[in-house]
Amino acid sequence: MAKRKDGKETRRKLLDTACEVFAEKGFQAAKVTEICRRAGVNVAAVSYYFGDKESLYTSAWRQTVEDFLSSDIPPPEDLPPEERLFITIRSIIRKILSIDTDKGYFRRLEMMEMANPTGLVDNAWKELIGPRQQKLLKIIRDIMGPAASENAVRLCGMSIINQCRGYILMQKNRLAFLESEELTPEKADQIIEHISRFSIAGIKGVCNS
Amino acid sequence: MAKRKDGKETRRKLLDTACEVFAEKGFQAAKVTEICRRAGVNVAAVSYYFGDKESLYTSAWRQTVEDFLSSDIPPPEDLPPEERLFITIRSIIRKILSIDTDKGYFRRLEMMEMANPTGLVDNAWKELIGPRQQKLLKIIRDIMGPAASENAVRLCGMSIINQCRGYILMQKNRLAFLESEELTPEKADQIIEHISRFSIAGIKGVCNS
Amino acid sequence: MAKRKDGKETRRKLLDTACEVFAEKGFQAAKVTEICRRAGVNVAAVSYYFGDKESLYTSAWRQTVEDFLSSDIPPPEDLPPEERLFITIRSIIRKILSIDTDKGYFRRLEMMEMANPTGLVDNAWKELIGPRQQKLLKIIRDIMGPAASENAVRLCGMSIINQCRGYILMQKNRLAFLESEELTPEKADQIIEHISRFSIAGIKGVCNS
Amino acid sequence: MAKRKDGKETRRKLLDTACEVFAEKGFQAAKVTEICRRAGVNVAAVSYYFGDKESLYTSAWRQTVEDFLSSDIPPPEDLPPEERLFITIRSIIRKILSIDTDKGYFRRLEMMEMANPTGLVDNAWKELIGPRQQKLLKIIRDIMGPAASENAVRLCGMSIINQCRGYILMQKNRLAFLESEELTPEKADQIIEHISRFSIAGIKGVCNS
DNA sequence: AATGAATGAGCCTTCATTCAT
DNA sequence: GATGAATGAAGGCTCATTCAT
């Protein structure tokens, strides 16, 4: 192999490392110096390949989300809405808890972005994540029936998303409702099962009143 | 009023402003320069009164927690657990949405600490906050009945806390399930009502199975 | 003397050195590192006292111009316009050639700004230099008489100013119309005399046609 | 036309663009990155064709001077000196204001070099430009007559050259003696006419005294 | 008790240049 | 012959901290 690679190699290495460091520390706390040191490239490579730190961050975020969503299979339309909700929740939780493929970068990036919004990823967020929300709302609407107000549907959507999203922070969660910090697949299944039953009952509970 | 600055005045102003800025930006992103500018005091005052930025942070955290807990009135023990849960949720949401007295500093600080743990406040946390969790779990246990497993109780606790916590960052929330960004007291009451009904139904839902 | 001065001392030193270095090299080529090294202060002092390099430049420019103009005495109004023109030209040339007080900073700053305009000094320029131009135009108008068009007056103004301004660049002037590079007071008087006579004849020359 | 790049094409494009950018910004402020971007060639082309930035600059300077001189037609010797002066001034002003062929690169480069001497072009200057000055001085001498001192001739030369040279930066000229920033051919003719009359009168003015 | 002054360390970025192909 | 890739050096600026009063 030559000393000068084909260019894509260095860029990819840099981007991967950026995902890692940004996920660990967030945008501001992550230093380009450290990213480049870890990636084994020169500091100027950031400028060369991405222009500046912000663009590197945006690129890292996009790549992370795309990896995150790439394995996402929507539930079949002909199943009853309760089962579709279960599948959706399972998919979300598995991703959040990194049961499947990714390295949990998305979860941590999202956490960082929630705490210290940079505003750099809003466009990508709407584009990539927005449609998923609409699908969830449709499932809820199917469960609640046509009589449900749009506001009620949205509130149920918040309840479900927020239940799931709470586990984003779980690892560092001092609340420690769960006994052990360690996350086993069995524990993940328990969580999935719980949120699904809790939420279906909750949705129906807010209908009858 | 005399104009003499008795020293406590400056210190208090600095500490209050520190709570504000740390809650807005987190430990790292908050700049002592800005804190002092906003407080109208000299930069050197941080060193003079608190030693360094970390000590200022710890002090700000303590004061915030104390303020937070001082206004927290636990629900009467003789009410039915559903009503106690409602009161608890109302209290949490009102604090989060800053409907009542405090300025939401605690929740913001907590979120920041979760995302970028400084490790500076762990001791105070366990000591001061832990007992509140137990009270919530007890209410849930009362609703679920003695047959419920401890694990199930904790999962319900997570569901409730996470539903509430989701509104911490609602203003900057890209999820935007709620139509309007503006938060009126009426909307807050809707949210309280919703989470309560959703959760009570949810709790009962996970029992029967 | 204490190690920490009274603050004005350091600032003044920094500003004086900035005038010197900016006059030598122009805005871009001057490095704050060098300015601070020469001034014997820390690099951060620029930020502390002036905010950034641009503000330091503007301040240096202002100080230089104020020094430059401070010794400027306008000619008495009751003299014949030809004599007033002579006095004005003498004043300009003496300043440009640093016969009197200053260290030639203005001349060199102006040269730099002509070659590489930063646009940072335009406001100060209009404010401080503009009125002088109007006085010159009035003198020319008095010589030309009421029949002269405003355009003709302005063109004569350009001719005079440009003749003088050409000597800004004289030191490094490869044109070398003047035999020696060395500038004696006698040579300066020759130049003053020449420009005055040349210009008065020129003004009258463009009237009769 | 064939698309084959025969090497000379790229080099020529690069050199032309270098003239343009160096004339706009001077040696230091001109960035090789920008030159290459504008020329549509790779950054490494500078190194490849010219070695380094300094050599590129020297080459650009030489080409500019050659272009400049190639279009310069000296006035016929048998005309009266006043008419020869007029033609010379017209030629200078037209070049400066880019009325004719060239793009004013030479004058801009010259100004830049005067303000921030690189010392890279001194040899070429003396060799190529010096003789033109002598021609102007001869015309002046012819007008003044044999009684005129050499010093007086040179001072008149300065007056004329400086009047012309003032218009080099007229577009960015804060003096703004001219009402409009816009430069029309008519305005250029006015300037030429003015300088000629002003100068001929001026020359004769300094003789009679 | 309180503060203005000053600083050192470090960060992001720019840029001319070099290297391997 | 020509270029994409990569880099070292340096620049301007920020910021928490310290010093002398």
Side-chain angles (χ1 to χ4, degrees), chain A residues 4-5 7 10 42 44 48-49:
Chain A
R4 301 271 168 142
K5 330 287 171 44
T10 301
N42 189 281
Y48 182 71
Y49 285 110

Side-chain angles (χ1 to χ4, degrees), chain C residues 168-188:
Chain C
I168 289 179
L169 303 167
M170 200 193 59
Q171 283 186 334
K172 305 188 174 177
N173 199 333
R174 285 198 242 60
L175 293 175
F177 273 107
L178 296 177
E179 283 164 357
S180 157
E181 295 276 334
E182 195 183 358
L183 183 68
T184 60
E186 293 73 32
K187 196 155 274 181

